[in-house]
Amino acid sequence: MKNIWQHILQQSRQWCDRPSFWETVPFVVMGLLALTLMVKGCQGICYHGTAEYRIHRLGYPIDQARAIAGVLSAEQAHSLISRGEHDTIAYPIIKQRYFIAKNFDHYLAFHKVDSVASLDDIVTVVNVGDYPDEQKTATHCDTSKGQLMLVNGMHYLDEKYQPDSLEAFERTCCYENQQAIPAVVRAFVAMQRDCKTSTGAQLMVNSAYRSFQDQIAIYKRSDKGYAAHAGRSEHQTGLAIDVTSLQHPMRWPFDASVECAWMHEHCHEYGFILRYPKKQSQLLGYNYEPWHLRYVGVPTSTRIHNEGITFDEYYAYYIDREKQ
Ligand SMILES: [Zn+2]
């Protein structure tokens, strides 16, 4: 070991003793300096080509430009840069709670046609697809989502769709024969029992599973806006129920009853959500239906209840967000 160190020391002395060694030192230092400057220069040139810098050049402060570039795809960033203008909502919109990156251009376009709409409303309306767009067409409901499938005006079920299994409600739960998927029947029975204990009133199922053909007949005889077209009704999934009570069997008096208020406050504990709440009805263009519950399971109903959103908003943000 000692010999190795002595050998290294001896070699080093020989290098330093050579006159040419000290002559090369200034060139080495200059070379290193030149290399450092080149690397810095390259970094500058590269940075000036980044989306962050080019967005910043449109008039966004650097931190905002960084945040915007961070959430947009290369294509979206390119589109924003090529428009060449500073959009006042580009930064605040990406900070919205339910912002979805793939909808960025639609948020900006929506704001251009409705500049008084709040950012919150813009995000809601665009996320659920409720905005004018010539490219937009209705699509098949993705039934593989099971109890989280979305059925509405833009997502339809075909004529043949039927739930995997249906179970009849006991006669103490409905005025006439009604069926739903077994989990819905169980959840309703538990909710009915607890509502009776709390309010003394007996919740009843007015309408549950309806086939495509049933829905055609209902649509023909219903008030405008209170029944969906066949294929667009959640009742075809076996996951929706219309509820009133023995004490208030008609829908509208039921809406003002103590048991209806109790149901709205507690239905999420049993896996149900109020599918068409009053709060968002005007914004999303549907009628308020205090009686219509949709089963989604307790984890989802709890989240929807706590966040105060509709199922359409939930689906757009938590289920469909990554889909391009
Ligand atoms: Zn209904």
Side-chain angles (χ1 to χ4, degrees):
M1 189 70 173
K2 196 178 170 189
N3 289 340
I4 293 171
W5 282 113
Q6 278 174 344
H7 178 71
I8 291 171
L9 210 60
Q10 194 181 5
Q11 287 291 319
S12 305
R13 279 199 194 110
Q14 280 174 7
W15 267 97
C16 293
D17 287 347
R18 287 158 75 173
S20 60
F21 174 78
W22 294 106
E23 284 165 14
T24 58
V25 166
F27 295 105
V28 171
V29 171
M30 281 170 66
L32 284 172
L33 270 171
L35 193 64
T36 310
L37 288 171
M38 274 171 62
V39 168
K40 287 274 179 203
C42 276
Q43 281 177 338
I45 291 165
C46 292
Y47 178 67
H48 287 170
T50 60
E52 175 184 318
Y53 180 75
R54 295 172 70 197
I55 292 170
H56 170 56
R57 294 273 294 164
L58 296 175
Y60 299 90
I62 195 69
D63 57 328
Q64 293 188 9
R66 186 171 303 141
I68 294 168
V71 296
L72 300 187
S73 67
E75 200 179 320
Q76 288 173 314
H78 177 73
S79 163
L80 179 69
I81 294 159
S82 61
R83 288 201 289 276
E85 58 187 35
H86 178 268
D87 194 312
T88 52
I89 74 155
Y91 179 68
I93 206 82
I94 69 166
K95 293 291 167 193
Q96 289 295 302
R97 167 73 176 84
Y98 296 104
F99 169 80
I100 297 176
K102 69 178 177 182
N103 291 341
F104 180 76
D105 287 341
H106 292 301
Y107 299 138
L108 267 49
F110 190 94
H111 179 249
K112 282 209 179 345
V113 294
D114 187 355
S115 58
V116 293
S118 71
L119 296 183
D120 201 28
D121 287 354
I122 290 174
V123 169
T124 298
V125 169
V126 170
N127 282 3
V128 305
D130 190 19
Y131 59 97
D133 183 346
E134 286 170 10
Q135 308 296 318
K136 209 172 57 171
T137 50
T139 54
H140 267 114
C141 160
D142 181 359
T143 54
S144 72
K145 298 288 187 288
Q147 66 187 23
L148 296 182
M149 73 176 86
L150 176 68
V151 178
N152 60 22
M154 293 302 292
H155 300 83
Y156 60 88
L157 292 164
D158 62 36
E159 202 171 339
K160 296 189 193 74
Y161 179 79
Q162 274 194 323
D164 289 339
S165 61
L166 287 167
E167 185 177 317
F169 285 94
E170 296 285 332
R171 290 313 302 264
T172 50
C173 295
C174 52
Y175 303 106
E176 53 187 31
N177 293 339
Q178 296 292 341
Q179 293 177 299
I181 66 164
V184 175
V185 175
R186 282 197 301 275
F188 178 79
V189 168
M191 182 170 73
Q192 186 197 47
R193 179 197 61 218
D194 294 347
C195 181
K196 192 160 194 181
T197 307
S198 295
T199 69
Q202 186 168 339
L203 296 177
M204 298 289 279
V205 173
N206 240 337
S207 181
Y209 168 69
R210 301 201 287 251
S211 70
F212 191 93
Q213 298 305 327
D214 293 337
Q215 191 64 28
I216 291 175
I218 290 200
Y219 182 78
K220 279 182 183 163
R221 64 170 190 261
S222 73
D223 291 341
K224 194 170 180 286
Y226 282 104
H229 283 281
R232 263 83 169 173
S233 168
E234 285 196 320
H235 286 278
Q236 198 183 334
T237 65
L239 293 160
I241 49 174
D242 291 342
V243 182
T244 57
S245 69
L246 268 185
Q247 289 71 15
H248 299 95
M250 300 299 284
R251 289 167 164 184
W252 287 114
F254 172 69
D255 139 80
S257 69
V258 172
E259 58 269 28
C260 182
W262 183 95
M263 183 177 87
H264 288 184
E265 196 183 334
H266 294 278
C267 66
H268 69 280
E269 296 163 21
Y270 306 87
F272 292 109
I273 53 163
L274 187 60
R275 182 65 178 86
Y276 306 111
K278 194 181 240 168
K279 201 173 93 180
Q280 292 97 333
S281 61
Q282 218 178 357
L283 181 65
L284 296 179
Y286 54 73
N287 285 305
Y288 170 51
E289 294 193 11
W291 55 81
H292 180 111
L293 299 186
R294 159 70 192 266
Y295 185 80
V296 287
V298 171
T300 302
S301 61
T302 304
R303 178 166 234 169
I304 287 173
H305 175 84
N306 291 345
E307 296 187 20
I309 54 178
T310 57
F311 184 62
D312 304 87
E313 291 166 275
Y314 173 88
Y315 192 89
Y317 189 74
Y318 290 108
I319 298 181
D320 214 28
R321 182 170 29 166
E322 306 303 334
K323 210 167 89 183
Q324 289 298 327

